[in-house]
Amino acid sequence: MGLLDYFRASRSKKGSAVVARERLQILVAHDRAERDRPSYLPKLQEELIAVISKYVKIDRSKVSVNLERGDRQDILELNIVLSEDTVPSR
Amino acid sequence: MGLLDYFRASRSKKGSAVVARERLQILVAHDRAERDRPSYLPKLQEELIAVISKYVKIDRSKVSVNLERGDRQDILELNIVLSEDTVPSR
């Protein structure tokens, strides 16, 4: 798929200069058949973070959120820098 | 961020030929500082679908999953074609 190609390309460009750090990037794109329907992505965002927190320790101050709303497409992007210790306390 | 640029570019290329259909695309990329740590993305995948099902009606047969594992990065991609009636039964 196109998104995977994009990731592969951006990886190979960086080559050996990649900084070793824990990072999680989440992208949700919703293509709508009808215009101007209310978006559920803002609500979804909180639930996504809650789900992911089960697997990795997330510092909320390290989460950057980008929400783009268009006529036919909404895109939610979350960029999360993970703690050194990424195992959540259970 | 790069991902949003990619989405914008792929949108504008398609122009007016975009088919109006409901579609949800989810991408989770995890950059690891250490190599070969076990991935939680397969487990995360089921939970993501469960969370999203609260907002849109998902037919499991319309979900395609792509999981790529690399030394330093795992990528989980979900492509979901949504039903005509996208409001979930509550």
Side-chain angles (χ1 to χ4, degrees):
Chain A
M1 293 299 301
L3 269 181
L4 280 177
D5 293 337
Y6 169 82
F7 262 109
R8 277 192 215 99
S10 65
R11 277 274 118 179
S12 59
K13 261 182 233 164
K14 287 176 194 163
S16 58
V18 172
V19 177
R21 64 169 185 171
E22 294 282 332
R23 199 172 70 107
L24 203 57
Q25 192 170 31
I26 299 136
L27 198 135
V28 181
H30 183 196
D31 291 341
R32 286 192 307 278
E34 290 171 30
R35 287 171 189 269
D36 299 330
R37 197 183 297 165
S39 176
Y40 53 86
L41 292 186
K43 275 186 273 178
L44 183 61
Q45 165 194 326
E46 279 303 312
E47 297 211 48
L48 289 179
I49 292 174
V51 163
I52 291 163
S53 296
K54 294 182 191 174
Y55 298 97
V56 284
K57 197 186 275 177
I58 294 179
D59 176 352
R60 292 299 181 108
S61 70
K62 302 280 179 61
V63 178
S64 76
V65 178
N66 200 337
L67 178 62
E68 285 215 341
R69 299 220 47 192
D71 263 5
R72 296 279 188 180
Q73 187 181 52
D74 297 329
I75 300 176
L76 171 68
E77 187 185 27
L78 301 175
N79 282 289
I80 306 169
V81 178
L82 299 172
S83 320
E84 290 296 306
D85 169 23
T86 57
V87 180
S89 53
R90 286 176 197 259
Chain B
M1 293 300 298
L3 268 179
L4 279 176
D5 293 336
Y6 169 83
F7 262 108
R8 278 193 213 99
S10 66
R11 277 274 118 180
S12 59
K13 263 182 232 164
K14 287 176 193 162
S16 59
V18 174
V19 177
R21 63 169 184 169
E22 294 281 334
R23 198 171 71 106
L24 202 57
Q25 191 170 30
I26 299 136
L27 197 134
V28 181
H30 182 196
D31 292 341
R32 286 192 306 280
E34 290 172 31
R35 289 170 187 267
D36 301 327
R37 199 183 297 164
S39 176
Y40 53 85
L41 292 185
K43 276 186 275 179
L44 182 62
Q45 164 193 327
E46 279 305 310
E47 297 210 50
L48 289 178
I49 293 174
V51 163
I52 292 162
S53 297
K54 295 182 189 174
Y55 298 96
V56 285
K57 198 187 276 180
I58 293 179
D59 176 353
R60 292 297 180 109
S61 70
K62 302 279 179 61
V63 179
S64 75
V65 178
N66 200 337
L67 177 62
E68 284 216 338
R69 299 218 48 194
D71 263 4
R72 297 278 188 178
Q73 187 181 51
D74 297 328
I75 301 175
L76 171 69
E77 187 184 26
L78 300 175
N79 282 288
I80 306 168
V81 178
L82 299 171
S83 321
E84 290 297 306
D85 169 22
T86 57
V87 181
S89 53
R90 288 174 198 260

